[in-house]
Amino acid sequence: MIRLFGACSAALLAAAVYLSGCGTESVLCADSPVSHTAQDVRSMQRFLLSEQPEEDWNEKQYDLNADGKWNAADHCLMKRELLPASNADTDTLVICFSRTGNTEKIANYIIDLTGADSLVIEAAVPYTDADIRYQDDTCRANQEQNDKSARPEIAALPDSIDAYDVIYLGYPIWWGEEPRIIDTLLEHYDFSEKTVIPFCTSASSGIAASERNIRSLVPIGNQLAGKRFAAGASKADVQSWLDTLEIPEKKAVQKMKLTVNGTTLTAAFSDTQAARELAERLAEAPVTVSLSEYGGFEKVGKLPWTLNRTDVQTETKPGDIMLYQGNQMTVFYGTNTWSYTSLASIEGVTAEELAALFGSGDISVTLSLA
């Protein structure tokens, strides 16, 4: 699962001369129950940036590693407190940018009601109160919103959100539109096969302009109508909206098993006619294919039947299973560029593991449906 509150930025590290980084080696965690919130994370961040606090800091318990200082080490520990357990059963992710906490509150309602995972994004350079003072024409947010090409950097993002099919995308409305940091996020990942559901908070502005911007900025698989919430919206309000959504059911992905040298691997079939034909053949009976070494990066062998070719020029990656010349199966543990038809992709193994498993000589692989 994913739950991020942003990495320690350069500004935070500069403010905390006592810490070399946020890695586990620098963490000496005091034994204490989980007691902090996302608002505490933001408050601690403002403290480290030397902003004037609004709270009574004397009552805060922010020295998490008990070293007598409030520094970036405590900030990192505070964020780690908020990491919940993984929810491996969900295909839904709530992504949220929230400067004042209003949007995050709605996001948390959605998480509670759907069981989704969450990704809270923060700017690499945090937005201050002065940055979002709309009365000031020269404030940072005003300048960004007036520049369609502005892409504020995000503090930290996971490498991939491929495991999720449904994305709730939340943000405040700034000057009638989504904050430009949302555009940064949209251009960072591939949403072309995902269902995206925008939601926002605002004092009065609607969500329509931001929905149009999102739709036109990047390819979206299926963008559902979004919802604007006031700051005082309740959990019941969110539930009422969720009840109106018609989210497409996830199509089951058929898998193939490959048994080689006593080890069984799993591969996801590709969306090609040849892959569908292969699955139909394996539904009748498993088949064993003799594979030979070729080029130091693949194993190739003849199938007992010819499959429909729809070859395209492809740069392969380790784990790819390709159809070559219509009747040969190629399993890659390295890379190559050639014209192939994709059959499947082996899951959860590295190039080194594949090379070790398949060995250097001829082998037999048994294919069956998972």
Side-chain angles (χ1 to χ4, degrees), residues 65-127:
N65 61 359
D67 65 353
K69 311 179 186 73
W70 286 5
N71 54 33
D74 301 307
H75 188 246
C76 289
L77 289 172
M78 190 181 298
K79 289 188 289 186
R80 291 185 184 192
E81 272 191 358
L82 296 168
L83 294 173
S86 174
N87 182 2
D89 294 331
T90 186
D91 67 349
T92 303
L93 177 66
V94 178
I95 302 178
C96 168
F97 169 68
S98 183
R99 166 55 180 81
T100 63
N102 290 333
T103 308
E104 187 175 359
K105 182 187 74 170
I106 303 300
N108 287 335
Y109 288 155
I110 297 173
I111 293 163
D112 289 343
L113 293 166
T114 66
D117 286 345
S118 72
L119 168 56
V120 178
I121 62 173
E122 291 186 351
V125 179
Y127 289 92

Side-chain angles (χ1 to χ4, degrees), residues 100-331:
T100 63
N102 290 333
T103 308
E104 187 175 359
K105 182 187 74 170
I106 303 300
N108 287 335
Y109 288 155
I110 297 173
I111 293 163
D112 289 343
L113 293 166
T114 66
D117 286 345
S118 72
L119 168 56
V120 178
I121 62 173
E122 291 186 351
V125 179
Y127 289 92
T128 66
D129 290 343
D131 287 338
I132 62 170
R133 187 173 294 123
Y134 70 90
Q135 302 94 334
D136 181 0
D137 291 340
T138 63
C139 77
R140 172 186 170 187
N142 215 333
Q143 294 182 52
E144 290 176 354
Q145 293 304 104
N146 287 331
D147 180 2
K148 289 285 189 180
S149 66
R151 296 294 183 268
E153 183 181 354
I154 297 173
L157 283 173
D159 292 336
S160 171
I161 57 171
D162 289 349
Y164 301 96
D165 298 306
V166 178
I167 308 293
Y168 288 89
L169 181 60
Y171 46 87
I173 293 294
W174 285 2
W175 291 263
E177 299 181 332
E178 79 285 359
R180 296 289 172 249
I181 196 169
I182 294 297
D183 298 345
T184 305
L185 174 90
L186 289 167
E187 292 177 349
H188 186 79
Y189 294 120
D190 180 5
F191 293 88
S192 63
E193 296 184 359
K194 300 190 184 298
T195 296
V196 175
I197 312 168
F199 66 96
C200 72
T201 56
S202 72
S204 59
S205 298
I207 195 173
S210 65
E211 288 182 298
R212 289 192 298 271
N213 291 344
I214 291 168
R215 187 175 291 107
S216 63
L217 183 64
V218 296
I220 301 290
N222 181 24
Q223 184 173 326
L224 301 188
K227 175 72 173 178
R228 174 255 173 194
F229 292 95
S234 68
K235 192 172 185 178
D237 295 329
V238 175
Q239 180 67 76
S240 295
W241 171 58
L242 294 176
D243 289 342
T244 69
L245 298 176
E246 296 183 2
I247 299 174
E249 291 187 10
K250 180 182 178 181
K251 293 190 296 184
V253 178
Q254 196 168 28
K255 301 292 180 73
M256 175 172 64
K257 291 194 298 186
L258 297 85
T259 303
V260 53
N261 292 330
T263 299
T264 298
L265 305 172
T266 301
F269 282 108
S270 303
D271 186 17
T272 62
Q273 181 60 34
R276 288 186 283 273
E277 292 174 2
L278 177 58
E280 291 172 0
R281 295 283 188 173
L282 296 181
E284 298 172 359
V287 64
T288 298
V289 182
S290 297
L291 301 179
S292 299
E293 180 69 24
Y294 181 81
F297 52 79
E298 67 180 277
K299 299 281 189 179
V300 60
K302 189 173 182 179
L303 293 167
W305 352 263
T306 297
L307 303 176
N308 184 58
R309 293 171 61 179
T310 52
D311 294 346
V312 293
Q313 192 74 6
T314 305
E315 181 177 353
T316 66
K317 61 182 183 300
D320 283 347
I321 303 174
M322 296 291 181
L323 179 68
Y324 176 61
Q325 293 186 340
N327 64 351
Q328 297 184 62
M329 182 183 79
T330 300
V331 180

